[in-house]
Amino acid sequence: MNYALKITNLWMLLILGLLIHSFMFVFPLFIGHSIAIADAGEQYLFALTWMFLLCMLLPMLLILLLQIFQGHAFRKIHFAISLPYLLLSAAHPFENIGLNPLPWDQVILQVFILTVSITISVLGFKWMKLDR
């Protein structure tokens, strides 16, 4: 089983899911609706921009490194990095549950992203335990 290839493909799928999630959030702008967040200042925009960059850049970096490194030390690092993505993916759908109206399209996509995150972490754990 080629874990590196499978995990690479799953990280790409996760990035695609995150991009679609972001696009679905801003889609109302294209039909003239406002998505402005009340009382969101420059600090919020700064934090949101860096969070978005980090959430996209880290998987891209992992994909690159997966092509170069596959030793046990890297497997541990990879698994450790996959866990925050799993936790954030698990928490994010619950943030939307309290919204009115409930954005079902986002919740469905977030559950899919959670499934991909679980798969990345499970495969990453199995890969880490392989051939110590």
Side-chain angles (χ1 to χ4, degrees), residues 87-99 102 107 110-111 114:
L87 294 175
L88 290 172
S89 296
H92 200 42
F94 293 104
E95 290 180 83
N96 289 331
I97 298 297
L99 297 179
L102 180 64
V107 172
Q110 289 167 356
V111 169
L114 173 60

Side-chain angles (χ1 to χ4, degrees), residues 5-91:
L5 180 61
K6 288 183 178 191
I7 292 170
T8 296
N9 290 337
L10 288 167
W11 278 116
M12 287 191 277
L13 187 60
L14 183 81
I15 291 171
L16 182 61
L18 293 174
L19 288 172
I20 292 170
H21 171 57
S22 300
F23 177 75
M24 287 171 63
F25 179 75
V26 299
F27 186 73
L29 289 174
F30 298 113
I31 54 174
H33 294 271
S34 174
I35 61 167
I37 299 171
D39 301 325
E42 291 297 316
Q43 300 279 1
Y44 180 79
L45 179 60
F46 179 79
L48 191 62
T49 302
W50 279 100
M51 182 185 71
F52 185 80
L53 178 64
L54 182 64
C55 286
M56 295 295 166
L57 190 60
L58 200 51
M60 289 189 297
L61 181 61
L62 282 173
I63 290 168
L64 175 65
L65 294 175
L66 273 163
Q67 309 314 305
I68 302 166
F69 303 107
Q70 295 184 11
H72 189 67
F74 177 73
R75 294 176 192 187
K76 285 181 179 179
I77 293 168
H78 171 268
F79 178 67
I81 292 173
S82 74
L83 292 178
Y85 278 87
L86 174 60
L87 294 175
L88 290 172
S89 296

